[in-house]
Amino acid sequence: MLRQLPRFLQVCNKQCVAEGSVCLLYALEAVAGVSYQRTQAAAAGIHTTACVSHGSSSSSSEEGAETIHVTFVTEKDGKEVTVKAPIGKHLLEVAHDNDIELEGACEASLACSTCHVVVEDEDYFHRIPEPSEDELDMLDLAFGLQETSRLGCQLIATKELDGLRVRIPAATRNFYVDGHVPKPH
């Protein structure tokens, strides 16, 4: 298995080069035949990327893809942008595909709270699956936490969320950018 991994990573790298990333999880799943969650990868110290559509465009207007409408509202300037979100994509990726400022410092590996959003309508909030313990732990670090707060990397576009409105807080807490100095173990 280990002899196959470098060769496959080369193939994966060629497929992901348009997106500027190498998806190690995809390589592990294909070679080892196991599903390896991003949270497990982060716990194991493996850096991963959000390369989802190997070799294809990650444009939000993918032809043939079923979409929903999502409105992002920024607290900084009150600007509202409604976009088409392909079913199955997380809102962090949708925001990035549409040049909406939503940080995502950990690249959707559930290791920060910089993609924190607030679901504006409680009815929509109750349509979203319950957050995992890992997401709740990261939300505890979020700036401006609200009852309807979620992480954009954990909100997946589904038909039930068509018309969703999320507010992007005016600031984030990114400890490495905001002056946090980690202590050696």
Side-chain angles (χ1 to χ4, degrees), residues 72-80 100-103 114 120 143 166-173:
F72 292 89
V73 180
T74 57
E75 277 187 358
K76 285 182 186 176
D77 57 13
K79 181 180 168 185
E80 290 189 21
I100 295 169
E101 288 189 41
L102 186 58
E103 190 173 342
T114 60
E120 289 194 334
F143 176 85
V166 295
R167 187 169 21 90
I168 301 172
T172 63
R173 286 192 180 130

Side-chain angles (χ1 to χ4, degrees), residues 103-106 112 114 172-182:
E103 190 173 342
C106 73
C112 74
T114 60
T172 63
R173 286 192 180 130
N174 184 345
F175 292 112
Y176 292 99
V177 172
D178 296 339
H180 174 71
V181 179

Side-chain angles (χ1 to χ4, degrees), residues 36-46 109 111:
Y36 199 75
Q37 298 295 322
R38 288 189 186 279
T39 54
Q40 293 170 314
I46 298 173
S109 65

